[in-house]
Structures are given as C-alpha cells and as structure tokens.
C-alpha cells in the first residue's frame, strides 16, 4: 500500500471516531421477559385430624331416691358408656385443639305403687348432648408415647323428661314434663397417645366434664319428682385420631 493510501485511511478513521458513541446510543439491548412464577397449590389437609372416642363413666352422675319397699316397685338404669366424634388441628408439634360433639346417655328411673285404692306410677329420663372445644399441650414423645394435658369449654343440652299418673277415688292426674335446657360446660383432660402409624394414633385418657347449671330430674316417689342442677362426669376415654396429612 502506498504512503498516500495509508494517509487517506488514517484520516477516514479519525473522521468516523466521533460517530461511534452515537451509533452505540442508537442500539437498544433486547428486553428479557421472565416467566411468571409457578403456582403451587396449598395442601388444605395439612395439620387437620379426625377423632372418635368411647368413654366409660366412673361415677353415677344422677342421685335418685331408692324407695324400693312393698308395695312400691322401683327400677333404675344408668348407662355408663358414652361417645363423641370431632375434628382438630395441629398448630405446632406440641399444641393442638379440637371440636367434639358428644352424647351422655344418663339414666332412667321408674317407680310404681298400687294398693287397690291408689294407683301411681312415674318414669324419669336424663340425658344430654354437648359441643366442646378442647385445647391440648403434648408434652414430648418418649418411646413412642406422648403424654398430654388439656382443658375445654362448650355448651351442653340436657334433656330431663318425666311422665306418670296418679289415680285414687277422688283424683285423676296424668303428668308429662320435658324441658330441654342449655348451659355452660367445661372439661379437664389428661392422658397418653401412641402413634400406631404416621397418621393414626390411639388415645387413652381421663376427662372430667362438668356442667354446674345443667338440669336433671330426681324421682322422689311414684308420684312426685324434683328438678336439680349440676352434672359431673369422671370418664375414662379410649379414642382414635387420624391425621389428614
């Protein structure tokens, strides 16, 4: 290349140098669009569990007068077994709560009297339904066994019912009384649970259930009765809990 050509090329390069920034400014980098975040569904069942329990009543909750004497005929039957179903939620590894619907079968008492002049008979029935919210603290697991304590509060519907009659030469009386009532109830709980599998546990515990204002009926004689307040149950409970993981 001649010396003259080199001079011309050098001059052209110097002349184009100021245009480089302008050309660079006109260049727009491509726009990168990030893909949207993937939707991850929430596991609705996590933490929830179902439960069912049967209970043995260790005490007699209703105290009726035993007036079994000739010619009075008297019978009493107090059912000692009851049950409940419910569902609950694990808030943490040591704190959980559940709601339960239960039935307390109560007792049935009947008495009659007939000496040929007076004919009297009566029958009373006491039972109750309850809805209870319980909170439990699990106290750690040792060789697969988890001790716990708890307490609860709820509503109880007691159903005292009375029917009977009284007949003599001058009086004829038939009576029927059914007065369901609602009142506050509470529980105190303690027990042990054992995990049979990852989602099934067996629960053995004690529960004290008290309804101080719940009403029940006492049969005083074949023709008289009285209404009382206060239901208290000491129960040994055996149940199953199924975790909905």
């Amino acid at each position: 290349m001649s010396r003259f050509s080199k001079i011309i090329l050098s001059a052209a390069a110097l002349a184009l140098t100021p245009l480089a920034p302008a050309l660079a400014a006109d260049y727009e980098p491509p726009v990168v669009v990030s893909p949207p975040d993937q939707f991850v569904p929430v596991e609705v069942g996590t933490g929830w569990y179902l439960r069912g329990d049967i209970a043995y009543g260790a005490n007699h909750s209703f105290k009726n007068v035993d007036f079994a004497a000739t010619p009075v005929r008297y019978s009493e039957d107090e059912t000692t077994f009851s049950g409940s179903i419910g569902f609950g939620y694990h808030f943490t590894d040591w704190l959980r709560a559940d709601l339960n619907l239960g039935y307390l079968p109560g007792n049935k008492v009947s008495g009659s009297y007939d000496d040929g002049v007076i004919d009297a008979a009566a029958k009373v029935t006491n039972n109750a339904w309850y809805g209870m919210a319980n909170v439990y603290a699990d106290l750690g697991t040792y060789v697969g066994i988890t001790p716990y304590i708890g307490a609860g509060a709820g509503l109880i519907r007691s159903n005292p019912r009375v029917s009977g009659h009284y007949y003599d030469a001058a009086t004829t009386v038939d009576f029927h009384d059914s007065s369901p009532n609602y009142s506050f109830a509470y529980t105190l709980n303690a027990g042990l649970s054992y995990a049979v599998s990852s989602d099934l546990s067996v629960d053995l515990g004690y529960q004290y259930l008290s309804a101080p204002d719940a009403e029940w009926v006492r049969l005083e004689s074949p023709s008289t009765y009285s209404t009382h307040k206060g239901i208290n149950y000491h129960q040994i409970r055996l149940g199953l809990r199924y975790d909905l993981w």
Side-chain angles (χ1 to χ4, degrees):
M1 178 181 295
S2 66
R3 185 176 180 179
F4 178 76
S5 299
K6 293 180 178 179
I7 293 173
I8 294 299
L9 290 175
S10 299
L14 291 173
L16 292 174
T17 298
L19 297 177
L23 292 173
D26 292 338
Y27 172 75
E28 295 183 0
V31 178
V32 179
V33 179
S34 301
D37 295 335
Q38 295 295 318
F39 173 74
V40 179
V42 176
E43 293 184 53
V44 177
T46 300
W48 295 93
Y49 63 86
L50 301 176
R51 72 175 302 155
D53 298 84
I54 58 173
Y56 171 75
N59 67 307
H60 292 278
S61 301
F62 310 100
K63 302 175 179 63
N64 279 277
V65 176
D66 185 356
F67 46 81
T70 305
V72 174
R73 293 185 297 275
Y74 171 86
S75 68
E76 180 175 8
D77 177 24
E78 181 164 351
T79 306
T80 55
F81 287 94
S82 60
S84 66
I85 57 174
F87 65 92
Y89 186 76
H90 294 274
F91 293 99
T92 67
D93 290 340
W94 60 271
L95 181 65
R96 57 187 170 87
D98 52 44
L99 297 174
N100 296 275
L101 176 65
Y103 176 66
L104 301 173
N107 72 341
K108 297 178 181 179
V109 182
S110 62
S112 62
Y113 177 90
D114 188 354
D115 62 359
V117 177
I118 297 175
D119 178 9
K123 178 181 179 180
V124 304
T125 302
N126 297 290
N127 57 48
W129 289 90
Y130 65 86
M132 197 72 59
N134 293 296
V135 178
Y136 309 91
D138 292 322
L139 306 178
T141 301
Y142 311 91
V143 295
I145 298 175
T146 304
Y148 66 85
I149 57 174
L155 192 67
I156 191 168
R157 181 185 189 271
S158 54
N159 306 290
R161 293 190 298 271
V162 182
S163 61
H165 67 266
Y166 178 88
Y167 305 147
D168 61 21
T171 306
T172 299
V173 177
D174 291 294
F175 53 90
H176 302 275
D177 187 8
S178 178
S179 303
N181 62 92
Y182 296 85
S183 60
F184 170 77
Y186 67 91
T187 61
L188 300 175
N189 307 278
L192 305 169
S193 66
Y194 177 75
V196 178
S197 66
S198 60
D199 53 10
L200 183 65
S201 298
V202 177
D203 193 317
L204 177 63
Y206 162 81
Q207 182 181 83
Y208 172 67
L209 188 154
S210 178
D213 294 322
E215 295 183 353
W216 58 280
V217 172
R218 171 186 289 173
L219 189 61
E220 303 286 356
S221 77
S223 59
T224 59
Y225 63 94
S226 58
T227 301
H228 301 264
K229 287 188 175 183
I231 296 177
N232 299 284
Y233 276 90
H234 296 274
Q235 301 181 95
I236 304 300
R237 301 174 66 85
L238 178 65
L240 293 175
R241 296 203 316 265
Y242 179 73
D243 293 328
L244 301 175
W245 301 116

